[in-house]
Amino acid sequence: MPPMSDTPPATVLVGDDEPLLRKLTERILAPRGFQVVTVADGDAAVRAVERRPDIGVVLLDANMPPEGAGAALRAIRELRPRVRVILTSGEALPPDLDREIADGEGLFLRKPFAPEALVRAVSDALVQVEEG
């Protein structure tokens, strides 16, 4: 479900060290009305959240450099506690990130994911932002 037409477009930050995955994710989300910002590492993700108050959802690769998504996730939560995070990985999450998901502080999307699963996860995360 794309964002409502009477509200501003939702901005999604996509952080992944794989250029093809960033581009593919953008190609899936942009036609559905989402604004997409892409970055290649955790430090850039934190900087983007600092600069862009319109980011409502952050999609992070759990194994993204330089330190994995954990350090970036903690910094992003400190800056913007209400932002929703979706972690992606082709493997099981590390225990610290798995706890974040178990505590309801984010969503997990296993790679490879179907386009519909990506759109659903982003839409669900946006509903959490609006309700939170």
Side-chain angles (χ1 to χ4, degrees):
M1 167 173 51
M4 303 296 256
S5 59
D6 58 344
T7 60
T11 301
V12 179
L13 174 66
V14 176
D16 199 301
D17 58 321
E18 293 291 331
L20 278 170
L21 284 175
R22 289 193 309 268
K23 185 159 235 22
L24 176 62
T25 302
E26 184 172 18
R27 285 186 178 170
I28 292 168
L29 294 175
R32 289 169 172 87
F34 299 102
Q35 297 294 319
V36 180
V37 175
T38 62
V39 296
D41 64 51
D43 294 339
V46 174
R47 287 191 305 273
V49 169
E50 284 177 319
R51 290 190 311 262
R52 301 281 309 256
D54 59 323
I55 292 173
V57 175
V58 177
L59 183 77
L60 292 177
D61 174 23
N63 301 308
M64 185 173 53
E67 302 172 42
L73 177 59
R74 286 186 292 279
I76 288 168
R77 290 224 187 276
E78 191 170 302
L79 289 167
R80 305 255 307 280
R82 288 193 56 217
V83 74
R84 287 295 177 225
V85 176
I86 302 169
L87 297 173
T88 64
S89 179
E91 306 167 4
L93 290 176
D96 63 323
L97 294 177
D98 194 42
R99 276 190 301 278
E100 294 276 343
I101 299 302
D103 291 342
E105 296 297 322
L107 302 169
F108 176 62
L109 189 59
R110 184 173 293 279
K111 292 178 182 177
F113 45 78
E116 300 78 28
L118 172 64
V119 172
R120 186 173 34 257
V122 170
S123 297
D124 289 349
L126 284 169
V127 167
Q128 291 176 354
V129 169
E130 292 169 9
E131 291 175 350

